[in-house]
Amino acid sequence: MNNVLKVLGCSKSRQRLGVRQSSAAFERVRKAPEGWRSPRPGGILLLLVMLGVAATASFASAADWLQFRGPGGTGISPEANLPVQLDAKSVTWKINLPGRGLSSPVIVGDKIFVTACSSTEQDRLHVLCFSAKTGAKLWERQFWATGRTMAHPKTSVAANTPCSDGKRLFCLFSSNDLLCLDLDGNVLWLRGLTRDYPNASNSLGMAASPIVVGDTLVVPVENDSESFSAGIDVATGANRWKRDRPKLACWATPVLVPDAKSGQPLVVLQSGPGLSVVDARTGQEAWYFTDGASTMSSSVFAGGVLYVPSKGMAAMKPGAAGVHPETVWHNNQLSPATASPVVLGDKLFTLNSAGILTAADISDGKRLWQLRTTGPHSATPVGFGKHLYLVNEKGLVQVVDTSAPEGAVVSTLDLKDTIIGTPSIAGRAVFIRSDKALVKLGGS
Amino acid sequence: MKPLSLILLAAAAAAALPAHADFKADIAAIRQVGGEGKGNPQAGTAWHSLAKGDAKSITSLLAAMDDANDLAANYLRSAVDAIVDRELAAKRTLPQLDLEKFISDTKHNPRARRLAYELIARVSPATGEKLLPTFLNDPSVELRRDAVQQLIDAADKALAAQDKAAATKEFSNALTYARDEAQIKKVAGELRKLEQPVDLPKHFGFLTHWKLIGSFDNAKLVGFDTAYPPEKELNLAAIYDGKLEKARWVDVATANDYGMVDFNKPFGDLKGVTGYAFTEFNAAAARPAELRLGCKNGWKVWFNGKLLFGRDEYHRGARIDQYRLPVELKAGRNTILVKVCQNEDVKDWTKEWEFQLRVCDASGTAILAKDRPATPKGPAGAAKAEAKKGTK
């Protein structure tokens, strides 16, 4: 494996990120739930990257869910006491949405943000804000798509999950419209990335989500034609950098890893050929991985290790400019399908197309058990403590106790609607958006 | 006009503008927004100012969308959203009469007029219902769609009541005005069940008669950026060295409801190849128009010898109006050349090597050539069998 873990020398000094180190990161670590892997040699790196992640959330609290798969893009909430035994009474509220979508909700404090698209051409873009507590709509803004809106029927133009730095909301749509609003619905800036780069689109639909790193928004626009990722100034919407990417459609969302030398966050850009790991503020490549990667399922970084869907699953400790990433293990029997892998406690979980949930030991990648769930799944599991929430495409929520000897589905709830998007967690509640509605499970 | 009249007119115009003095400057700041974030800081500041306006400013904001670029229009419409939310939350009214007047002027931005209509329908659903039938021939695709839907609903009711004559009349009327593909498909299907003739290619404005030539190489996708002879000269009698054999122009006329032109038919099911299609469009008058293309192969389009656009995406899907290419038709002869590249993938779902192209205006209304040939008649059942190929 080492022969495919390559390092690109990078002698140019890297500009430091202008970020605040929030105590929220320490809170997250201190409040790590039961089953969360305790610090180990890689724990320092974890702490460092958490600092980097926290920098994106300087204005947010530990209970917020700011991006696709929430804190650090792990899909794991640091909260406890979420609903496990689901039944009809678990639905705290349900509100209809004005259009379709599969983007995840983003939660900042008591505000929950959702995107949707409507009209026969899906060219009406909606950004909605609700009270997380009551479900009351606080505001809505609409925009017209400036890019192409064609998408496979299974997806839609509201596919990419927004992200937030705690004071701004960044919404990307499949049309490559990129909208920045404050949390009260005031428009700060707008971009039309297909307008700027006319061949940047995917006739199946785009779905990779942006992430915010300090004062840079990283936007993946990877497709078969004018393929790129960009770092955008959160204050103005102008490009800080724009990097050509493989001409290949990709729906995987970037994740952050720490630079092995400095601990500063680096952005993992994933595509079919592998990974390009870049400085968020400059776009300069620090290291790369060329043994292939999924174009659907996103990598996850947890416990100091990056887990990459690559010919199964490849686990590696991140590198840096001049530092090789270190292979931890590779298991070709851990291929996820659409859903991304998730690490909970000392186990890595993948979901295949048949709905088989596979648990593997994160230390060596060996398979521990497999659990047949009711699929098919597109949503990535999210979890807390020892439990995972799986939601299949027909709206069946399944709660899995991962501490059971072979894993066990402990409860189910049928929401009876098409659900492709990944749930979000905040305020001891699970927020699930279907193609028609937004549902809150639990919380108070 | 007398000086006094001019003064009164100017005074009236000034009175119609929102009160705050910077309104014009704010509008200008938003309208100057451009590509790659240019002008965003100024536009964002202006947005905050405009969004604080009251209901009286709404129609001025809508009017500011006239000739504005699409980013500026989005700034303006979201400012309207903010004002409307605040005004309605405070139990204040919207300027309904001004909005109706704004809608009635079809020179305004069609999307702005649609937004004005939705505001009216939001505060007065009855007024919205009353206005709908007036939009049957509207430049706004969305307004027209809702108006046509009323005709379709009436036709469906007539059908349910087994009144075929009334249903035929309503469906025929609906087809006359329908521009939305889903509505057209529904109405055409119903009319055919009622044994009424429907010429869908003509309704859409699909070009059905082409000269095709193939095949040139596209192994390893080299063809997309390779200028083969048809790009260098227009000589329909020429014979060139093709990838497998001599390449010569052949006549193709498609009977497909959605104008699909299939290269596989004259040249065989080839992979890793490039073909060209050529046709002429005899325009009645010079005018703006759109060439609308659907294609799941790599493609380039030239209009009157000028490259409009090209895209090297393969087999990610195709649909009617997938790509909209604005052009200026000149009176008389215009030429259209389409390059279609097929990749080397051998999966079943990558066999298609085809495109569809129509000429229409911004609302999707067909622009027909002066000498448009009759739509070819396919073999019995062919239209039905192939219809789905050209749809979404």
Side-chain angles (χ1 to χ4, degrees), chain A residues 201-222:
Chain A
S201 70
N202 181 345
S203 297
L204 286 174
M206 311 282 285
S209 302
I211 61 171
V212 59
V213 190
D215 57 3
T216 302
L217 180 71
V218 178
V219 184
V221 190
E222 313 220 349

Side-chain angles (χ1 to χ4, degrees), chain A residues 120-121 124 142-144 150 186 189-191 195-197 199 201-204 224-225 236 247, chain B residues 35-37 40 47 70 74-75 77 81 118 142 145 180 310-313 316-319 322 392:
Chain A
T120 57
E121 300 296 321
R124 288 282 196 101
Q142 285 191 41
F143 304 86
W144 292 298
M150 183 176 171
N186 295 308
W189 52 260
L190 307 176
R191 287 285 300 270
R195 194 177 178 277
D196 291 340
Y197 313 109
N199 249 323
S201 70
N202 181 345
S203 297
L204 286 174
D224 287 346
S225 188
T236 66
K247 285 167 68 83
Chain B
E36 296 192 311
N40 265 335
W47 189 96
D70 46 7
N74 270 334
Y75 272 103
R77 83 143 293 156
D81 286 344
E118 289 180 6
E142 289 179 288
R145 184 191 301 127
D180 177 84
R311 178 154 175 80
D312 51 348
E313 180 187 64
R316 297 297 191 188
R319 49 160 284 186
Q322 190 174 1
K392 293 177 189 177

Side-chain angles (χ1 to χ4, degrees), chain B residues 277-353:
Chain B
F278 174 83
T279 195
E280 295 182 357
F281 186 89
N282 193 354
R287 58 170 297 176
E290 291 184 4
L291 305 188
R292 294 192 180 181
L293 178 86
C295 184
K296 62 171 61 175
N297 306 95
W299 60 269
K300 290 183 179 178
V301 172
W302 291 261
F303 179 72
N304 287 336
K306 181 184 174 189
L307 178 64
L308 295 180
F309 198 67
R311 178 154 175 80
D312 51 348
E313 180 187 64
Y314 292 85
H315 299 292
R316 297 297 191 188
R319 49 160 284 186
I320 184 174
D321 297 348
Q322 190 174 1
Y323 305 100
R324 294 171 60 169
L325 309 171
V327 296
E328 287 291 334
L329 290 174
K330 61 183 182 184
R333 178 179 177 267
N334 297 268
T335 64
I336 300 169
L337 179 69
V338 183
K339 178 179 190 176
V340 184
C341 301
Q342 171 66 300
N343 68 3
E344 297 176 280
D345 201 324
V346 294
K347 297 184 192 77
D348 283 349
W349 47 270
T350 66
K351 283 183 179 174
E352 287 94 346
W353 180 25

Side-chain angles (χ1 to χ4, degrees), chain A residues 177-383:
Chain A
D177 283 285
L178 180 62
L179 321 172
C180 177
L181 298 86
D182 70 18
L183 304 190
D184 295 321
N186 295 308
V187 172
L188 300 178
W189 52 260
L190 307 176
R191 287 285 300 270
L193 298 177
T194 298
R195 194 177 178 277
D196 291 340
Y197 313 109
N199 249 323
S201 70
N202 181 345
S203 297
L204 286 174
M206 311 282 285
S209 302
I211 61 171
V212 59
V213 190
D215 57 3
T216 302
L217 180 71
V218 178
V219 184
V221 190
E222 313 220 349
N223 60 89
D224 287 346
S225 188
E226 196 170 357
S227 188
F228 69 92
S229 283
I232 288 176
D233 183 340
V234 297
T236 66
N239 290 358
R240 287 194 195 285
W241 53 268
K242 177 171 174 280
R243 188 178 181 85
D244 288 345
R245 296 286 293 143
K247 285 167 68 83
L248 181 64
C250 183
W251 297 269
T253 290
V255 293
L256 293 182
V257 294
D259 181 290
K261 284 181 180 173
S262 68
Q264 288 295 317
L266 298 174
V267 181
V268 177
L269 301 175
Q270 182 175 322
S271 184
L275 309 177
S276 177
V277 183
V278 304
D279 184 298
R281 209 167 195 279
T282 66
Q284 192 161 20
E285 188 173 67
W287 58 274
Y288 57 82
F289 169 77
T290 58
D291 202 24
S294 170
T295 57
M296 297 285 289
S297 173
S298 306
S299 298
V300 64
F301 178 74
V305 176
L306 179 65
Y307 301 91
V308 183
S310 171
K311 298 175 182 172
M313 191 66 62
M316 65 188 77
K317 290 185 179 176
V323 178
H324 285 279
E326 178 188 340
T327 300
V328 179
W329 52 259
H330 180 260
N331 185 340
N332 62 12
Q333 294 184 314
L334 291 176
S335 289
T338 304
S340 300
V342 61
V343 173
L344 185 62
D346 55 4
K347 298 184 187 74
L348 173 87
F349 297 91
T350 60
L351 262 175
N352 73 6
S353 55
I356 303 293
L357 180 70
T358 299
D361 188 325
I362 58 169
S363 65
D364 57 14
K366 287 185 179 167
R367 198 166 73 190
L368 299 171
W369 48 258
Q370 289 188 305
L371 176 67
R372 179 175 291 279
T373 69
T374 304
H377 298 273
S378 282
T380 291
V382 296

